[in-house]
Amino acid sequence: MNPTRRTSRWTSKGAVHALLAIAALYSVLPLIWLLTSSTKNVGDFSTTSAFELGDWNLLGNLRDLFAEEDGVFLHWIRNSLLYAGLGAVVGALICAACGYAIAKLDFPGRRTLFAVTLAGVLVPTTALALPLYLLATELRVVDTFWAVFIPLLTNPFGVYLARAYAEAAIPDEVLEASRIDGAGELRTFFTIALPMMRPGIITILLFQFVGIWNNFFLPLVMLTDPKLFPMTLGLFQWSSRVSQFPHYNPLVITGSLLAVLPLILAFVVLQRQWRSGLTAGSIK
């Protein structure tokens, strides 16, 4: 037998499948814990194990969740959907326009701008929270919807992805033909570039949605009104009261379960469109 064709037991198909199954189980275990724990009442948390079902109390937990503090959780759901949904759409469009301009338009300082964008990818968002707060204070928008929404529209990594995808997916000949036909730059971008960049834009939109939905530190710095909180910040404040008020425990867990569901739905739906977009692009 040729020794170069021997398969190590650690790289065999069975071993790889086993490792993938363990990794998948490890990833799913927190969700399983949320599912089982959201069915428990306050007493069940001290009398049952982590993954053991108690008395079925999911409907009661949901009722208490939406009734707590005059239904403030409904405000948190609305805010999260506005921050993440609208922010992802507008942010992805901005990233697509910036990436397209850097990749396909010739203007002074283009390479410098791209270098600054790459440097922005390396800056953690938490490091920008204090400067953003000071800027929001000067603009007098602290503790408003705009103090959180506007900073979320900028994403250097999204611009980088859009630039890379536009560079590879949009032939210069197509743009030249559009300009020869009399189309302006805006019309060329919206009618020619955007459809060809669709798979990349959907990927950016997915990253934007997940990042904004899970955003915690910026709302913590900017907001004091509970009715403006996203679900992440609101549930965090409730979780800090669990030691003093145990009835918040099932509320936090049930709310966390509801907070995860939109992420799963967005990932499944957008991944399906992303794959179809890639298939259409390969056929073209």
Side-chain angles (χ1 to χ4, degrees):
M1 183 177 179
N2 189 349
T4 60
R5 300 187 62 182
R6 290 178 181 174
T7 302
S8 171
R9 62 179 180 175
W10 297 109
T11 58
S12 64
K13 184 180 296 185
V16 171
H17 287 175
L19 290 175
L20 290 176
I22 293 173
L25 181 62
Y26 178 79
S27 302
V28 172
L29 278 179
L31 183 58
I32 296 176
W33 180 82
L34 275 180
L35 289 171
T36 57
S37 299
S38 62
T39 64
K40 301 177 182 180
N41 55 34
V42 177
D44 289 335
F45 284 98
S46 58
T47 59
T48 60
S49 61
F51 298 100
E52 182 182 352
L53 289 172
D55 295 333
W56 188 264
N57 197 48
L58 178 60
L59 295 179
N61 290 338
L62 289 172
R63 183 176 60 253
D64 295 340
L65 176 66
F66 289 106
E68 185 69 24
E69 298 184 14
D70 298 325
V72 70
F73 190 75
L74 289 173
H75 291 279
W76 297 348
I77 293 177
R78 179 202 63 190
N79 296 336
S80 293
L81 291 175
L82 283 175
Y83 291 138
L86 188 59
V89 173
V90 178
L93 183 60
I94 292 175
C95 290
C98 294
Y100 166 79
I102 295 174
K104 294 298 178 179
L105 300 183
D106 188 13
F107 57 90
R110 183 178 66 168
R111 293 187 177 181
T112 302
L113 180 61
F114 183 61
V116 172
T117 301
L118 289 179
V121 176
L122 304 177
V123 178
T125 55
T126 53
L128 300 176
L130 182 58
L132 288 174
Y133 176 78
L134 296 176
L135 181 60
T137 302
E138 292 293 328
L139 297 176
R140 299 183 180 180
V141 294
V142 174
D143 205 23
T144 66
F145 170 84
W146 305 108
V148 176
F149 179 74
I150 293 178
L152 297 175
L153 299 180
T154 58
N155 184 359
F157 183 66
V159 175
Y160 168 74
L161 285 180
R163 186 261 182 189
Y165 198 87
E167 187 74 32
I170 305 176
D172 293 333
E173 295 79 7
V174 175
L175 300 179
E176 289 297 329
S178 175
R179 292 167 183 144
I180 290 174
D181 289 340
E185 293 298 338
L186 285 178
R187 185 178 178 183
T188 299
F189 171 69
F190 283 105
T191 60
I192 304 297
L194 274 184
M196 301 182 75
M197 294 175 63
R198 181 187 172 191
I201 293 174
I202 291 177
T203 303
I204 296 169
L205 192 147
L206 177 60
F207 287 160
Q208 279 278 99
F209 183 86
V210 174
I212 297 174
W213 188 271
N214 292 327
N215 189 27
F216 167 77
F217 195 71
L218 183 63
L220 177 65
V221 172
M222 293 291 188
L223 302 177
T224 58
D225 185 359
K227 291 186 178 181
L228 294 174
F229 288 175
M231 282 195 285
T232 51
L233 181 56
L235 292 173
F236 169 76
Q237 289 213 341
W238 279 2
S239 67
S240 64
R241 307 174 189 174
V242 168
S243 59
Q244 294 180 332
F245 306 100
H247 75 277
Y248 276 107
N249 202 16
L251 301 184
V252 171
I253 293 174
T254 307
S256 300
L257 177 63
L258 295 183
V260 169
L261 296 180
L263 292 178
I264 297 174
L265 180 63
F267 182 80
V268 171
V269 172
L270 293 179
Q271 185 186 48
R272 185 182 307 166
Q273 296 180 7
W274 175 63
R275 287 180 177 178
S276 66
L278 284 181
T279 305
S282 64
I283 293 175
K284 290 178 184 179

